[in-house]
Amino acid sequence: MNLLEVLRRATGYLDQHGSSSARLDAELLLAQSLDVRRLDLYLQFERPMAEGELAPYRKLVSRRAKGAPVAYLLGHKEFMNLDFEVSPEVLVPNPDTETLVERAVSWARARGGEVRVADIGTGSGCIAVAVAHYVPEARVLATDDDEAALEVAARNVARHELGPRITLERGDLLEPLTDPVDLICANLPYVDEAAELPPEVLAQPRHALFAADAGVALVRRLLEEAPARLRPQGAVLAEIDPRQQQALLPALEGYAGHRFHRDVGGLVRVVEAWT
């Protein structure tokens, strides 16, 4: 078989097994297997593929068909135009989270001068790294209660050469913060424990996905505790499920004001509150 026929067969197989982006998945995995750029595939569609090349590709396609996220199979994922290592120890960076980062960057730039930021539940470190990358004046404390996740985050901090401006600490929510900060960012677990999710989502760490009380328990606790950890005119940004907006309103009563931000799909995705 030539390369194009292999791609067609893999695409059909992944489509039959529920992939919503079968052709893209097939191309990304083949490029990974052959150690070439995805664009290079288009330049060699007629190239015959040897059995030695097909075997590792079949394994990747089989794992994808069983629900493994493409990012885990590739070992990395782009987020905010930056490349991040990802592994089964952390959530795959989601485009929806870019809404939070874009607002954090805008807020920090408007604040001006050196800005102290805390990224709570950092996981892969994608929020901390992106904020530090796009706001050179930012000093970021990134926390997580999972040591394995912090090891991935540490590698991503080093990958982007941001070690001097990002500190990693292990601890529960805001507990590692010893001094007040200007801005708190958080993409905490917020999925309802009763939610039915596709296999590629369930393949990610459950403790980083699900939270009690219909998913709002941790975000609500963060919002309640954050004012005491913020400098004057500080703010908190937290990613949420669009259906949680009303349930979180009581936790926002202690702030001077709040607003909700929508993602590119038009859904409420981030709550912002300020002191």
Side-chain angles (χ1 to χ4, degrees), residues 29-48:
L29 295 177
L30 184 56
Q32 171 81 359
S33 182
L34 297 177
D35 193 24
V36 300
R37 299 175 304 164
R38 181 178 163 220
L39 175 63
D40 293 334
L41 301 177
Y42 289 81
L43 305 177
Q44 46 187 314
F45 276 158
E46 299 304 318
R47 166 190 165 181

Side-chain angles (χ1 to χ4, degrees), residues 171-249:
D172 176 56
L173 286 187
L174 299 172
E175 180 270 332
L177 274 67
T178 57
D179 297 305
V181 297
D182 299 293
L183 179 65
I184 293 173
C185 300
N187 179 18
L188 298 170
Y190 62 76
V191 178
D192 187 340
E193 294 170 317
E196 295 184 4
L197 301 173
E200 65 183 288
V201 177
L202 291 174
Q204 300 179 63
R206 294 184 64 88
H207 68 271
L209 288 169
F210 298 101
D213 198 6
V216 302
L218 289 175
V219 176
R220 181 173 57 206
R221 187 176 140 212
L222 176 81
L223 292 173
E224 291 172 346
E225 296 178 1
R229 305 301 184 97
L230 289 171
R231 288 177 169 178
Q233 289 80 54
V236 56
L237 294 166
E239 185 169 331
I240 64 171
D241 184 292
R243 295 164 291 188
Q244 296 169 345
Q245 186 174 355
Q246 294 299 316
L248 291 172
L249 290 179

Side-chain angles (χ1 to χ4, degrees), residues 49-71:
M49 289 195 63
E51 182 59 34
E53 295 175 317
L54 287 171
Y57 182 52
R58 289 193 185 108
K59 290 181 180 179
L60 288 174
V61 171
S62 176
R63 291 175 62 190
R64 175 65 185 129
K66 293 176 182 177
V70 171

Side-chain angles (χ1 to χ4, degrees), residues 129 132-133 154-166:
V129 168
H133 176 84
R155 291 194 291 273
N156 280 320
V157 170
R159 183 189 194 112
H160 293 279
E161 301 180 344
L162 289 167
R165 294 197 288 116
I166 299 179

